[in-house]
Amino acid sequence: MSSRTWPQIGGRTTGEDLVRALDEARAGVLITGASGSGKSYLTSLLTKEIRDDAYIVVLRASAGLTASPYGALNVLLRDLDSQFLSHPALVLSALTTLLAERAEGKPVYLVIENAADVDELAGVVISQLARNGTAGLILTCSDPQRLGSELARLCTDGYLARIELGPLPLPEAVTWLEASLGGRISASAAHEFWTASGGNPHYLKMLAGELVESGSLAVRDGVWVLTATDRPHGPAITDLVVTRLGRLGPGERMAVEIVSLAGTVPLEALLAIALPDDVDSLERRGILVVDHSLPRMVGVQNQLLRDVIRANIPTGRSSDLRRRFCEAVDPALMHPALTAALAGWALECGVPLSERDALQAARIANTRADHPLALRLVRSIPGHYLSATAVAEESSALAALGAVNEARNVLRQYRDKIGESADGDGPGPLPPEEDVRFQLAEAAVLQSDPETMDQAVEHLRHARKALDGELLKADLAGRSRLGSGDGSGGETVRFLHEELVLAEARSAGLLGRYGEAAAQLEGALQDFETHGPDFRFTAGSLLCEAWALTGRQSEAADLAGQLLADSRNPMVSAAAAWAAAGRLRFALLLAGCWEDAASMQQPHWDSPLPAGQPLPACFDLALAVLRCFQGRAHEGLEALVPLIGQLRVRDDEGLLGAATRAAAYASALQGEPEQAGKSPAGKRPGPARPGRPLEFITAFFTILAADSPDRPQAAIDLLMRLADDEHAAGNYGLEVIALSTAVRLGRTAAAPRLLETALRCDGDFAGLCAAYANAVLAHDVAQQVAVAQLAQDLQHDRFAFDVAEAVIRRAHALEDRALLLQARRIAETCRHRMRAPEDTAQQEDRITARELEIATLAARGQSNKAIAARLHLSVRTVEGHLYQIYGKLKIVERSELPFALGLAEGNQQ
C-alpha cells in the first residue's frame, strides 16, 4: 500500500484555484488546517504551477529555530555578512537586494511551512518584504492563533488570502479511497476509516495502508471489506501521533489524556481539573472538539488519535488521572455515559469497583449497546455468577452480541445454583427489582428463537405483573430495595419500566403484532420528558415502525421528522442512534414516504461505536432497498454489491437475506436473471432476527425475483398469500404493498380489496393505492393516467411505469390520443430514471433516426415530395415511412405529428 499512488482529492482546491488566489491576493496565501489535512500537498501543487515563471525560496521554520534570531531566514542570511544582523532594517535592505539579484526580474515567493514557528525578528522582516512588494508569501500553519504578531497582522490587514482545509466529508473520502484502492469499498469500511481518522486525509491514507498490509482490509467478491473491527493501527501511525503531541504543555497533555480516557465529557467537568487556556488551545489546534449543544461536550478530534493516546498512557498515570478527575468533577455532571466510561477506565488501570458500582455501570453499558464493556464490568465482580442482577446483565449482553447459547448456559448455571441453595439454607425469593431484571434477561434470550417466543412472552408477563405490583407499591411506600439501582428507587423503577416496554414492543414485533406494539409504546411515551434520551429515541423509532406497518403512515412520517430533528443529542449513544436511524428509514420506506427516506442524513455522533462493533448496516440497506422498490435497479445494485460483500464477513443484524434477495430482484429488472440466481441468501453468520419488516422485504423480493413471463400467475398467487398473512396480523401497511403489486401484475379482481385496505391506511402512498384501485374498478383510462402521474410525482417510478404501460398496451381501444401520449411520456420518463431495458416489442415500437427526420419535416408542414427531394428518397419511400411512424406513435393523421413528436424527440438517444 505504501507504493500505491494516491490521486488528488476530488472537490478540493486545484492548482489553478491556488494560482488564481495567489494572483488576486495582495501579498500571498496562508493555507491552514489540522496536521495531515493536506497543507504540504497544496503547497507543492502551487509551487509546481508557478516555478517556471517565479523565483521560489523555501524557508524552514521549526520550534528548534525559534530561539535563534532570524532562525527561519538562515537559508538566506548565511550568504550575508554578519554586520547586517545588527538591526532588522539592515537585514531587510540586504535581503531585498539579494532577492532582486537572484530573481533576475522574476517575481519572488517565499514558501514557509509551519509559519507559526517563525521567530519574531524573522517575522518582522518577512512581513516587510511582503508589504513592500519584494516577495510574495506562501505560508502554511495548523493554528493561525499561534502566528507571530507581524505575520498575523498581514492576515488582518488583508495582505494574505486564507485557504482553510477542513476534514474530508464522507462522500469525498469514499471516492478518494476507492480511486486509490481501485475498487468499491463497503459502507462499513469507509465509515470506519472516516470516523477513526476524523476525515483527516493523512490519517485516512496511513490507516488504509496499514489495514491492507495487515489483511484487516481485504477484497471479497470484488469489494474491499473489513475482516476485523478492532480498529487496529500500526507503529507508523503511533509514531506520527506521539511526535505531534510531543509539543504539548503539561496542562494540555493532561486535558487531552483525560478526554481520551473518559470519552466525550461535559466541558464543565473537564474545566474542573484543566485550565480554560489549555482547553482553548487544544480546540484551536483541532485536537479537541467542543460540541455546542447543551450541555456542551468535549471529545477528541478523531477516534484514531484517541486510541493512540490511550494506548500510550502508563497504567500508573492513568490511575492518577482518573482519581484526580473523579475528585474534581461535580457529581451532578456524572451523566450515565460518563459513569459507564469511568467504570471502564477503572478496569483498565486496575482500580477495583464495588459490586454496586460495577452493576450500575454494566446496566448503563447494556442500555447504550456497549455490550463488551458490560461483560467486562460484570465479570470483574468476584462470584458474579451467584448474583441474579449480574447474571441478568451478563446474559443480556451475550444475547445482544449473538452468543445466545452462551447466554443460555449462564442462565441455566444460575438456576442450577439457586436450586442447590434452595435445598439447604440458600436465599429465598428474589427481591422484586432483581426478579424483574432476571425475567427480562430470560426473555431476551428466548426471543432469539421463534420456537421459544411463547416462553419469552410469559417471562415478560411475569415481569409486568411484578413491576406494576409489588415493586411499584414498595417504591411508593419508600421501601424499594436498591440492590441493582443507582441510589434512587424511582430511578430503578424508571429504568426497569423502560427496559420492559422495549422488550414487550420487540416481542410483539417479532410476532408480527405491530398494533399491540404501537399501543404499548404510545402509552409509555405519553410522559415523554421523564424518560432518558436513549429510550425516547429507541422507543420513538419502534413506534414509528409500528405505525408505518399498521397503516398509520402519516403519523409515522410526522414522528420520524420530530425524532430526527431532536436526535442530535450528545447523551444518545452512537449505537442507539444508528440502530434507530436505520429503523426510521425503513419505516419511511414502508410508509411510502420515499423522498423523506432517501433524503435522510446518516447519523454523525461524536461518541464512537463500542470497540469491535461494526457499523450497523441497516441504514444503508434501507436506501438500497428503496431504490429497488423504485425500480432503479442500477442504483440498488450499486449500493447492494459492497454491502453484501461486507455482510458475508459479518452480519450481526441478520440483513444478508434481505440484501441478497433485493440484489436478485434488481438483477432481474436489468434483464439478467442468471445474475439474480447467483445471489442466494445463504446462511447468516449470526443468530440475529431481523424483524418483520425485513422478513417481509425478503419474501417480497424473493417472489418478484423469481417472476418470469411464463409464470406470472405463480408470483401473483404468492403475493396474495403474503398479503393474507399481513392482513391476519393487522399489518395493513405491508398488506397494501403486496396487494398493489399483485393488481399491477394483473390480478385486477383484487382491486376491491386493495381499495378497502388502502382506506384503512393514511398518507400519500395509501392515497395513491386507493386512487389506483378506483381507477381499475371504474375502467377509467383518464383516472389511470392520473394515477401514473401521481406515482411519478411521488418518486414511485415502478408503480407509475406499470400503470402507464398498462394504458399503452390497450392503446388500440383508446380514442383520446392526448391520454395515450401522456401515458407514453410517463412511461418513458420512468424508464429513463430506472434505466429499464426494453423488450423486443417495445424496441420495435420506437421510431428510427431516419423516421424521426422524416416525421419532423412533415410536422413542419413540408410535403411528401419536398421531403423526398431533400432526403434523396422516392415519394413512395417517404409515404411508407410515414405509415410506419403513424402506427408507432399511435396517431392517425399528419396534423397530430407536432404534438406526438414532443415524445419522440425527447426519447432518442
Side-chain angles (χ1 to χ4, degrees), residues 795-833:
Q795 304 294 312
H796 290 240
D797 298 337
R798 189 73 210 182
F799 198 124
F801 180 79
D802 289 344
V803 176
E805 281 287 291
V807 171
I808 295 168
R809 285 195 296 270
R810 295 194 298 275
H812 64 278
L814 280 180
E815 296 181 1
D816 191 333
R817 298 299 173 185
L819 283 176
L820 173 61
L821 292 174
Q822 186 181 357
R824 292 174 73 92
R825 287 195 183 92
I826 293 169
E828 291 302 321
T829 299
C830 293
R831 187 196 306 282
H832 176 74
R833 291 204 297 219

Side-chain angles (χ1 to χ4, degrees), residues 293-554:
S293 59
L294 293 176
R296 299 185 71 187
M297 307 295 287
V298 184
V300 180
Q301 178 202 40
N302 59 65
Q303 186 61 35
L304 188 61
L305 192 63
R306 181 188 174 197
D307 288 347
V308 173
I309 294 171
R310 286 167 60 94
N312 285 274
I313 301 175
T315 302
R317 177 168 175 79
S318 176
S319 179
D320 180 60
L321 288 173
R322 181 183 180 278
R323 177 186 56 78
R324 291 166 62 188
F325 181 73
C326 291
E327 290 174 352
V329 68
D330 185 341
L333 298 173
M334 294 290 288
H335 59 81
L338 183 57
T339 298
L342 290 178
W345 185 359
L347 294 184
E348 290 173 4
C349 53
V351 175
L353 291 170
S354 68
E355 178 177 350
R356 178 178 176 280
D357 289 344
L359 287 177
Q360 177 194 355
R363 185 204 79 189
I364 295 170
N366 266 333
T367 301
R368 296 175 60 80
D370 192 347
H371 308 297
L373 175 58
L375 283 178
R376 288 168 49 217
L377 288 163
V378 167
R379 291 172 176 176
S380 72
I381 302 171
H384 73 277
Y385 50 84
L386 297 175
S387 163
T389 304
V391 168
E393 298 299 342
E394 182 181 23
S395 62
S396 295
L398 289 169
L401 290 170
V404 178
N405 288 334
E406 189 177 353
R408 288 195 184 99
N409 289 335
V410 167
L411 291 170
R412 183 171 57 252
Q413 290 171 9
Y414 175 77
R415 286 192 297 266
D416 291 344
K417 292 287 184 183
I418 293 300
E420 292 172 6
S421 300
D423 294 335
D425 297 326
L430 291 175
E433 70 276 11
E434 290 189 26
D435 182 36
V436 170
R437 184 67 190 87
F438 196 78
Q439 296 295 334
L440 290 171
E442 292 262 26
V445 174
L446 294 168
Q447 284 176 340
S448 63
D449 186 348
E451 299 296 324
T452 56
M453 276 301 303
D454 290 341
Q455 298 176 50
V457 171
E458 274 305 310
H459 281 282
L460 293 177
R461 285 177 184 156
H462 182 101
R464 171 60 65 187
K465 182 178 179 181
L467 186 64
D468 290 345
E470 292 183 60
L471 182 56
L472 185 56
K473 292 177 183 177
D475 178 58
L476 291 174
R479 295 181 286 104
S480 177
R481 297 180 178 89
L482 305 177
S484 63
D486 57 6
S488 164
E491 184 68 14
T492 301
V493 172
R494 182 185 68 80
F495 157 70
L496 290 172
H497 174 67
E498 290 178 352
E499 191 174 2
L500 177 57
V501 168
L502 295 178
E504 289 173 333
R506 291 192 178 104
S507 179
L510 289 170
L511 291 168
R513 303 169 185 165
Y514 282 93
E516 180 183 323
Q520 293 166 341
L521 291 164
E522 284 181 84
L525 288 171
Q526 287 292 325
D527 196 2
F528 195 77
E529 294 302 324
T530 64
H531 296 292
D534 274 300
F535 174 80
R536 292 199 301 266
F537 203 28
T538 300
S541 67
L542 286 168
L543 178 57
C544 187
E545 177 184 74
W547 277 347
L549 269 59
T550 54
R552 298 166 66 176
Q553 285 97 334
S554 291

Side-chain angles (χ1 to χ4, degrees), residues 648 660-661 664 667 672-681:
R648 290 192 188 281
T660 52
R661 297 326 300 164
S667 297
E672 301 174 350
E674 67 282 356
Q675 290 299 115
K678 293 180 182 178
S679 301

Side-chain angles (χ1 to χ4, degrees), residues 9 28 102 180 284 566 642 651 699 722 741 760 782 871:
I9 301 171
R102 291 185 177 181
S180 177
R284 287 197 305 269
D566 190 44
D651 180 23
L722 187 61
T741 307
R760 287 176 177 266
L871 300 180

Side-chain angles (χ1 to χ4, degrees), residues 559-573:
L559 178 58
Q562 294 172 26
L563 290 170
L564 291 170
D566 190 44
S567 64
R568 194 63 176 88
N569 187 326
M571 296 295 104
V572 177
S573 67

Side-chain angles (χ1 to χ4, degrees), residues 158-300:
Y159 279 87
L160 298 179
R162 182 169 170 180
I163 300 171
E164 186 167 1
L165 298 178
L168 279 181
L170 180 58
E172 292 179 18
V174 172
T175 301
W176 192 48
L177 282 167
E178 291 183 340
S180 177
L181 294 170
R184 300 291 306 282
I185 185 170
S186 74
S188 294
H191 196 276
E192 181 76 26
F193 289 164
W194 185 69
T195 302
S197 66
N200 183 293
H202 192 56
Y203 288 147
L204 195 66
K205 178 179 175 180
M206 292 185 71
L207 183 60
E210 291 188 350
L211 291 182
V212 169
E213 290 179 6
S214 69
S216 296
L217 181 67
V219 177
R220 296 287 187 273
D221 298 326
V223 176
W224 288 94
V225 300
L226 281 176
T227 60
T229 55
D230 52 353
R231 300 193 187 101
H233 54 81
I237 291 178
T238 298
D239 291 345
L240 176 66
V241 173
V242 170
T243 299
R244 288 178 173 172
L245 294 177
R247 287 176 287 180
L248 295 180
E252 293 173 321
R253 176 172 288 278
M254 180 188 69
V256 76
E257 286 178 340
I258 287 174
V259 178
S260 296
L261 289 163
T264 305
V265 301
L267 176 60
E268 189 177 347
L270 181 61
L271 293 178
I273 188 172
L275 294 176
D277 287 347
D278 290 329
V279 177
D280 289 343
S281 173
L282 291 168
E283 183 184 10
R284 287 197 305 269
R285 295 163 72 175
I287 296 173
L288 293 184
V289 178
V290 179
D291 190 293
H292 294 290
S293 59
L294 293 176
R296 299 185 71 187
M297 307 295 287
V298 184
V300 180

Side-chain angles (χ1 to χ4, degrees), residues 630-849:
Q630 288 177 304
R632 301 179 187 179
H634 60 290
E635 294 182 40
L637 283 173
E638 188 176 349
L640 285 166
V641 168
L643 184 63
I644 290 171
Q646 187 68 65
L647 291 175
R648 290 192 188 281
V649 175
R650 182 169 177 178
D651 180 23
D652 292 353
E653 302 164 272
L655 307 180
L656 184 58
T660 52
R661 297 326 300 164
Y665 171 64
S667 297
L669 284 181
Q670 290 193 318
E672 301 174 350
E674 67 282 356
Q675 290 299 115
K678 293 180 182 178
S679 301
K683 293 183 179 180
R684 285 189 281 105
R689 297 184 60 196
R692 185 57 196 158
L694 280 163
E695 290 172 356
F696 172 85
I697 286 167
T698 304
F700 181 78
F701 285 132
T702 299
I703 294 168
L704 295 183
D707 186 25
S708 61
D710 60 340
R711 55 186 301 275
Q713 193 61 43
I716 294 172
D717 290 342
L718 289 172
L719 285 169
M720 295 302 296
R721 198 174 305 162
L722 187 61
D724 291 341
D725 292 341
E726 300 306 333
H727 180 84
N731 299 331
Y732 307 118
L734 299 181
E735 181 189 4
V736 78
I737 294 174
L739 284 176
S740 62
T741 307
V743 174
R744 296 200 321 267
L745 288 177
R747 184 63 61 85
T748 56
R753 177 177 169 185
L754 173 60
L755 177 60
E756 180 184 356
T757 304
L759 292 175
R760 287 176 177 266
C761 306
D762 56 27
D764 291 339
F765 182 68
L768 172 65
C769 291
Y772 176 51
N774 277 321
V776 171
L777 290 171
H779 304 287
D780 189 320
V781 175
Q783 287 186 39
Q784 292 177 36
V785 173
V787 166
Q789 185 63 61
L790 175 60
Q792 179 188 320
D793 295 342
L794 292 174
Q795 304 294 312
H796 290 240
D797 298 337
R798 189 73 210 182
F799 198 124
F801 180 79
D802 289 344
V803 176
E805 281 287 291
V807 171
I808 295 168
R809 285 195 296 270
R810 295 194 298 275
H812 64 278
L814 280 180
E815 296 181 1
D816 191 333
R817 298 299 173 185
L819 283 176
L820 173 61
L821 292 174
Q822 186 181 357
R824 292 174 73 92
R825 287 195 183 92
I826 293 169
E828 291 302 321
T829 299
C830 293
R831 187 196 306 282
H832 176 74
R833 291 204 297 219
M834 297 189 300
R835 299 187 193 174
E838 296 177 318
D839 59 34
T840 304
Q842 289 170 330
Q843 290 174 4
E844 290 174 354
D845 279 346
R846 291 175 70 90
I847 66 175
T848 65

